[in-house]
Amino acid sequence: MGLLAYLKTQFVVHLLIGFVFVVSGLLINFVQLCTLVLWPINKQLYRRLNCRLAYSLWSQLVMLLEWWSGTECTLFTDQATWNRFGKEHVVIILNHNFEIDFLCGWTMSERFGMLGSSKVLAKRELLYVPLIGWTWYFLEIVFCKRKWEEDRDTVIQGLKRLSDYPEYMWFLLYCEGTRFTEKKHRVSMEVAVSKGLPVLKYHLLPRTKGFTTAVQCLRGTVAAVYDVTLNFRGNKNPSLLGILYGKKYEADMCVRRFPLEEIPLDEKEAAQWLHKLYQEKDALQEMYNQKGVFPGEQFKPPRRPWTLLNFLSWATVLLSPLFSCVLGVFASGSPLLILTFLGFVGAASFGVRRLIGVTEIEKGSSYGNQEFKKKE
């Protein structure tokens, strides 16, 4: 085992990476708070600044995937679609099967210069998660409780606010609503049968309200819908913790572009279009499981150095005073100071682990389990 491979397995190194991410994130959130004064004066300047501030935080996670673990991402698409990446507003539909599916999406966003301006329809609970939710708030992310009667006005207003966004954006939708588990899948398919909808093998029944509303509100802004189907070679099921330990994965993403004009204006017809799309996604997953590849030409967008340079810059700024402080604590010989420092390390370790836990499948939301609970 080489020195770098050994360091990737060490808890102290993980703690230092977490320290840089958390402290830089809090500093970024503070700067974002200060930029609020720009909103009534120059809204577009506020947005551009916050895109770059968000990039400085999210790119640290992308750095872990690209440079720390060395995970490779391959796109399967056509040349015409490839040529449009990063050059238009789009809605992205991504399957929600893996703990790091969002990170693979961010990686592609970064490689095409879209990371800072990427958007998502997120569950409201995430708004209160430090760093993640706070950063999203300043980015005008649309949060919802996933109770349509309560969400309708909030979601519509949030989406319409994005109609004049100054930079190209990728708006991510997880139409399944929650991550795939066998229990959720079983309940979801029972609902599908009861509604006369086709049974899916690899996906949950898509929730159509968010999709149809997003398409309606963003017409005239968004040029297309990108359907993205993600899988990992070798039947791997990667985790953020695995990435932190330096495990390398190979991600394959099949991307199909649908011009917005092809999606029906009528809400019911658009919902039917989405159900048909998920049948096609299921067929793509079946093909991948049988052949190990998706259809289409293969493209490997190169990783860019900015994520690594950004992290090294933050590490240089934040770790130097940390090391000086640690040396001072132990040089003092004060048991109180040393115990206080060790308590801080323990609390920091717990906090970092909680942040990682947000991505774990077993810690996913109960949404999708409601029918199951009723039967219990």
Side-chain angles (χ1 to χ4, degrees), residues 73-90:
C73 295
T74 303
L75 295 181
F76 293 75
T77 189
D78 57 83
Q79 186 67 53
T81 300
W82 169 265
N83 292 338
R84 291 177 179 270
F85 285 153
K87 300 175 182 177
E88 58 184 354
H89 295 298
V90 298

Side-chain angles (χ1 to χ4, degrees), residues 75-123:
L75 295 181
F76 293 75
T77 189
D78 57 83
Q79 186 67 53
T81 300
W82 169 265
N83 292 338
R84 291 177 179 270
F85 285 153
K87 300 175 182 177
E88 58 184 354
H89 295 298
V90 298
V91 170
I92 292 182
I93 298 175
L94 178 62
N95 55 307
H96 209 7
N97 299 68
F98 305 98
E99 290 186 8
I100 66 165
D101 46 32
F102 77 97
L103 198 50
C104 292
W106 277 0
T107 295
M108 287 298 104
S109 298
E110 199 288 321
R111 295 186 186 190
F112 293 99
M114 308 287 288
L115 179 59
S117 58
S118 61
K119 308 295 180 188
V120 66
L121 183 62
K123 57 185 179 182

Side-chain angles (χ1 to χ4, degrees), residues 171-189:
F171 191 95
L172 173 62
L173 285 177
Y174 287 116
C175 293
E176 295 163 89
T178 184
R179 283 194 176 91
F180 183 100
T181 67
E182 290 300 329
K183 183 172 74 173
K184 292 175 184 177
H185 179 255
R186 175 169 58 83
V187 175
S188 179
M189 292 307 98

Side-chain angles (χ1 to χ4, degrees), residues 142-158:
V142 181
F143 293 96
C144 60
K145 299 177 182 177
R146 297 192 295 197
K147 295 179 181 177
W148 185 244
E149 296 76 14
E150 299 179 26
D151 287 332
R152 179 181 175 85
D153 292 341
T154 302
V155 171
I156 290 175
Q157 291 172 9

Side-chain angles (χ1 to χ4, degrees), residues 127-226:
L127 174 61
Y128 307 105
V129 177
L131 309 182
I132 298 173
W134 299 348
T135 303
W136 274 350
Y137 172 81
F138 294 110
L139 282 177
E140 302 170 77
I141 293 299
V142 181
F143 293 96
C144 60
K145 299 177 182 177
R146 297 192 295 197
K147 295 179 181 177
W148 185 244
E149 296 76 14
E150 299 179 26
D151 287 332
R152 179 181 175 85
D153 292 341
T154 302
V155 171
I156 290 175
Q157 291 172 9
L159 290 169
K160 287 185 175 180
R161 276 201 303 267
L162 299 175
S163 62
D164 63 342
Y165 210 76
E167 302 197 6
Y168 289 129
M169 63 177 176
W170 284 358
F171 191 95
L172 173 62
L173 285 177
Y174 287 116
C175 293
E176 295 163 89
T178 184
R179 283 194 176 91
F180 183 100
T181 67
E182 290 300 329
K183 183 172 74 173
K184 292 175 184 177
H185 179 255
R186 175 169 58 83
V187 175
S188 179
M189 292 307 98
E190 289 176 2
V191 173
V193 170
S194 70
K195 293 183 176 181
L197 296 169
V199 172
L200 303 173
K201 185 177 179 180
Y202 301 102
H203 301 85
L204 304 179
L205 188 67
R207 308 281 176 151
T208 60
K209 288 291 185 182
F211 170 75
T212 57
T213 302
V215 168
Q216 289 172 359
C217 292
L218 294 176
R219 283 190 187 273
T221 301
V222 165
V225 170
Y226 290 177

